[in-house]
Amino acid sequence: LSDVVAVAAGDYHNLALKKDGTVVCWGRNDQGQSTPPSGLNNVIDIAGGYDFSLALQKDGTVVAWGDM
């Protein structure tokens, strides 16, 4: 993995924010927490929860996936 500007961890999954504004996830995915939504981009910050993940986009919107 290269061009990573931030990392975050959930309970059993991890996220990496890349310089190009995309997100890469890995680890447990039983609730979809490691599968970013299709087309997710322009991300400026990330966070991981128990069985969910969050991304803050450049326009101020928050995208969540997994079990909220």
Side-chain angles (χ1 to χ4, degrees), residues 41-55:
N41 57 28
N42 294 318
V43 175
I44 59 171
D45 203 4
I46 52 175
Y50 182 73
D51 279 338
F52 63 93
S53 300
L54 302 168

Side-chain angles (χ1 to χ4, degrees), residues 10-56:
D11 196 39
Y12 291 99
H13 70 290
N14 304 289
L15 303 89
L17 174 58
K18 298 185 75 176
K19 188 183 340 182
D20 67 359
T22 60
V23 178
V24 177
C25 302
W26 65 95
R28 192 171 80 184
N29 194 39
D30 57 326
Q31 299 296 324
Q33 66 269 36
S34 292
T35 305
S38 178
L40 181 65
N41 57 28
N42 294 318
V43 175
I44 59 171
D45 203 4
I46 52 175
Y50 182 73
D51 279 338
F52 63 93
S53 300
L54 302 168
L56 174 63

